[in-house]
Amino acid sequence: VLVEEQEREVFEAERVSWFEGKWKIFAFSTCFLGACMALVVSLPLLRTAMEKSGEGDLGTDLGDALSMQPSSSPSHDPLPIFEILQHRGHVRCGLDNDDIESEKGFHIDLCRAVAAVIFGDPESFVGVLVTGSTRFEKLNDRAVDLLLYGDTHTIEREVKERTTDAGFTFSSPYYYDGMAYFGDESFLRCAEEEKRFDECTSLLICVTEGSTSYDYVQSHFPPDFVQVVSTKQETEEMLFNGTCNVIASDRSILLNVTPDDGRKFIVGDKL
């Protein structure tokens, strides 16, 4: 009896090139060499950038520069602030330029009161000039011991103030105020109604950088309608010389603004 075998599939071997057999190893080697070259090229650039920014030490090993260890804290005096004040003999109050020049006023009196409590002498203080944009930086750097600038207590400033990334302790409120606009009556109404067309197209609001008034105005108007300045005095000067037609600030501050030329400006309602 003859049994016919079933047909079987036949495979024919073919010779492959060296590259086809080693392509995975070749690809891995290429990527590894590319990464090494990128690292070699980036190291001089990194050192140059560190030298320009003042963050790198030319005598420091590059391995230390690339260390993942946390940076050291600012080198402040570790003693409690009260002991530092007692040793120094006076308290440094961060004040507005007008307060320092006049040596009188609400905030000067508060600084004298603090000095009287600590030293028994109301004159044991030094006024340090701060502005809306520098006050929290100076407080964080210990250039002043406390701020008396009419600083608004906000949760953001208590937890993480944006210019310093630090949180600050506030006293109990000693004065309650609110923001308002001040200036030419027609443009003041434009600002209050947030109107930016027709007769309000030339509205320009001056506001102090770093203030809560700035935060409010910046969130309600496009940049073309806002002029940011460094000090309260600049806002008044720019209103009087016609650069701005409205200023935004604390209402208590605006009530004391008086033009030298007799022009009539009004204070808006508290926002």
Side-chain angles (χ1 to χ4, degrees):
V1 179
L2 296 176
V3 179
E4 185 177 353
E5 295 186 357
Q6 298 180 352
E7 294 184 2
R8 298 182 180 179
E9 188 174 1
V10 178
F11 295 89
E12 182 178 356
E14 294 182 0
R15 181 181 295 276
V16 297
S17 65
W18 179 89
F19 179 81
E20 290 177 326
K22 306 291 184 179
W23 71 270
K24 290 184 179 181
I25 298 175
F26 181 81
F28 175 81
S29 301
T30 302
C31 293
F32 180 78
L33 291 174
C36 292
M37 292 179 63
L39 180 61
V40 171
V41 172
S42 65
L43 290 180
L45 297 177
L46 177 60
R47 177 175 287 273
T48 301
M50 292 174 63
E51 292 173 358
K52 288 183 178 180
S53 65
E55 295 175 359
D57 184 355
L58 295 179
T60 302
D61 184 76
L62 187 58
D64 295 334
L66 297 176
S67 173
M68 297 301 293
Q69 296 297 321
S71 59
S72 59
S73 301
S75 55
H76 297 315
D77 194 323
L79 290 175
I81 184 64
F82 187 75
E83 293 185 27
I84 296 174
L85 295 179
Q86 290 284 3
H87 179 74
R88 188 196 304 142
H90 64 266
V91 61
R92 300 169 303 181
C93 300
L95 296 164
D96 181 70
N97 185 60
D98 287 345
D99 294 327
I100 294 177
E101 289 185 351
S102 65
E103 297 185 351
K104 61 182 181 181
F106 183 48
H107 292 133
I108 286 286
D109 289 341
L110 284 174
C111 187
R112 287 195 173 100
V114 173
V117 170
I118 298 175
F119 307 106
D121 178 8
E123 299 304 319
S124 296
F125 76 92
V126 173
V128 179
L129 176 64
V130 297
T131 67
S133 58
T134 65
R135 51 185 167 164
F136 289 107
E137 293 177 357
K138 288 194 174 184
L139 181 60
N140 190 54
D141 293 339
R142 304 288 179 88
V144 298
D145 302 309
L146 76 158
L147 292 177
L148 292 169
Y149 195 83
D151 311 286
T152 305
H153 184 178
T154 66
I155 294 297
E156 178 191 21
R157 290 172 174 176
E158 187 174 337
V159 177
K160 188 178 181 182
E161 194 274 328
R162 67 170 174 266
T163 64
T164 59
D165 288 335
F168 300 97
T169 302
F170 287 77
S171 69
S172 298
Y174 58 81
Y175 191 83
Y176 291 88
D177 201 357
M179 175 194 152
Y181 292 114
F182 177 86
D184 178 84
E185 182 175 4
S186 60
F187 286 107
L188 185 143
R189 301 307 173 204
C190 293
E192 290 185 331
E193 297 171 8
E194 299 179 20
K195 185 177 179 181
R196 305 191 298 269
F197 52 89
D198 294 338
E199 72 278 7
C200 299
T201 53
S202 56
L203 170 67
L204 186 60
I205 305 170
C206 277
V207 63
T208 306
E209 182 182 6
S211 64
T212 48
S213 298
Y214 166 77
D215 293 338
Y216 180 89
V217 173
Q218 185 265 342
S219 65
H220 286 75
F221 289 92
D224 292 345
F225 289 83
V226 182
Q227 178 68 47
V228 183
V229 298
S230 299
T231 66
K232 301 171 186 175
Q233 291 74 26
E234 284 185 72
T235 61
E236 298 175 18
E237 293 171 2
M238 296 183 79
L239 175 65
F240 297 158
N241 65 28
T243 302
C244 301
N245 38 50
V246 172
I247 60 178
S249 188
D250 298 341
R251 200 167 191 273
S252 59
I253 295 174
L254 299 177
L255 290 170
N256 293 311
V257 178
T258 306
D260 295 331
D261 57 6
R263 282 184 294 170
K264 183 179 180 181
F265 293 114
I266 65 170
V267 179
D269 296 328
K270 186 185 295 185
L271 299 175

